[in-house]
Amino acid sequence: MRGVNPENPGGREVPAPKEIAQALERRVLGQQQAVREMAIALSKKLAGLPTGNILLVGSSGTGKTTLMRAVERYLAADPTLAHRSTLIRVHANVLAATEGPPGEALLVRLLDRAREQLGAQASTETLLERVGHGLVFVDEVDKIRSRVAGQPNPAGIRAQEALLTVIENEAVPLTLPEWAGGETVAVDSSGLLFVCAGAFEGLYDAVFDRVTVGRDRGALQSVTVMGEGSGELREELDFHLRDWLRVEDLFDYGMTPQFLSRFDAMVLLEDLSEDDLVRIFLDTPDSGLAQARVYFASRGIELAISPAAVRRVAREAALQPRLGARALKEAFRRVLHEYEFEPERHAPAGVLMLDTDEVERALTGA
Ligand SMILES: Nc1ncnc2c1ncn2[C@@H]1O[C@H](COP(=O)(O)OP(=O)(O)OP(=O)(O)O)[C@@H](O)[C@H]1O
Ligand SMILES: [Mg+2]
């Protein structure tokens, strides 16, 4: 179902959240909540309706950047959508490094992007209108903490200030580049949509400590469980970050209250299970398997891998939860290593078959 843009009733239709989510799910597996929040925000944005900013929090390698890139591709793939949205994706620490008034660099990037999209003949007025309604994806936002190891972090403070200046501000001064006349104008940036993402490494432990031995000691109660097989009773702590994470934990992490108050939704990404890893390995277009297939095909060889071998790679990757799905590529690279140099030698009849023996040998050296 597509709806009509109320600001542009005669114009093109706007895709519904469900349609957007289905497109994003081709590249982002699992992470339903994050995909849905993103799809709803995007649908509203494309309809010209107000929508709140989103903060994505999730362990390394769980799909935050993948989700942002999926949105970029989704918008770029459809000329009608690309034509009504200007999107930039930046690394948060770039904001600390830039010169000039806080926030201006972001607006300049949006302006450049709008010009790329609309062409050099577009009027400055049109371009500025696009800038004021753009989408800004800020990745690695956890790298701009206001404090690091108990010390103030000036670069982080500067970057958070830069973002604050442009989030929900009705008059941000912008000195136009030479090609646009060079004068200083005021940009209403209250129509921008911000999606920020970060891994916030250490947050899990910090929150766990808070509810077990720290400020809220005793909040997390252990439960009695019966040991499998033995039948013995033991005490266990069943901790899920989702149940306990509060905005205050992000203050403690070094994000300022003013900054955090600009987000309507804080979305936690799930940690990936072994089953998720199997699906990511088999079904995503950028997976290590997909890339290997392309390489071997370029050498005239078909790569085949048994389900048990896939499972074995996923199990190996799951041993490194800190890397998330990145561990898949790392593990699979170890497997492929000995086949990539001279694939023909291992591919009688043009097929390279990887089964558990091959994978086991590569992973364990056995
Ligand atoms: N949910 C997912 N669906 C599909 N692929 C995923 C998913 N999570 C991770 N991946 C794959 O794992 C790799 C790393 O993912 P990504 O860059 O999105 O991680 P991230 O959450 O941004 O991590 P970091 O916090 O370290 O930047 C990518 O190659 C991506 O293809
Ligand atoms: Mg990332």
Side-chain angles (χ1 to χ4, degrees), residues 64-65 139-140 326:
K64 300 177 300 296
T65 303
D139 209 352
E140 314 270 339
R326 283 206 190 86

